[in-house]
Amino acid sequence: MNKNNFIEDKNTAVFSLKKIIFSKEPILKVYHDCDGDWQFLGSEINLDMAESALVSLEEIVELDFTVLEVSDLDYGWMAYREDIGMPWIREKIEDEN
């Protein structure tokens, strides 16, 4: 992994889902939260915390190197795509309050 693609260290802990990590389901949503945390998710709308996984940024890139295309997301932004191979669409995360 080229560390220069993400400003965070390759060992940075990020949030994902067990089915992405263990069952190789595709990463379809990437969130760079306002607090700097990264989330790499699938197509789910309602997430169950029991399905979450904490892994390193390096592991995510090894699973799907195309996340490097959105490594420059600003805090408070997300990117999503319809399927692997489709272009990433970026948008600001709306404040839920």
Side-chain angles (χ1 to χ4, degrees):
M1 172 174 137
N2 180 353
K3 183 181 170 198
N4 294 328
N5 289 307
F6 281 93
I7 60 170
E8 295 82 5
D9 186 74
K10 66 182 180 179
N11 293 322
T12 298
V14 299
F15 300 96
S16 192
L17 299 171
K18 292 176 183 175
K19 53 181 139 184
I20 289 173
I21 304 305
F22 301 113
S23 300
K24 310 295 188 242
E25 289 198 15
I27 297 170
L28 301 177
K29 296 176 190 164
V30 177
Y31 291 86
H32 197 189
D33 298 333
C34 290
D35 61 5
D37 288 337
W38 286 93
Q39 298 181 50
F40 298 88
L41 307 174
S43 60
E44 301 80 8
I45 294 173
N46 297 317
L47 300 175
D48 182 352
M49 286 303 293
E51 294 300 315
S52 64
L54 193 62
V55 296
S56 73
L57 189 54
E58 182 176 41
E59 289 176 87
I60 290 294
V61 173
E62 287 175 0
L63 284 172
D64 182 353
F65 69 91
T66 67
V67 298
L68 294 174
E69 296 171 17
V70 295
S71 64
D72 61 345
L73 277 176
D74 286 331
Y75 290 176
W77 281 74
M78 68 170 293
Y80 62 93
R81 60 186 174 180
E82 293 297 317
D83 206 351
I84 291 180
M86 300 295 291
W88 290 101
I89 299 166
R90 298 165 181 247
E91 67 181 45
K92 189 163 181 41
I93 299 170
E94 295 297 322
D95 186 6
E96 294 182 5
N97 295 328

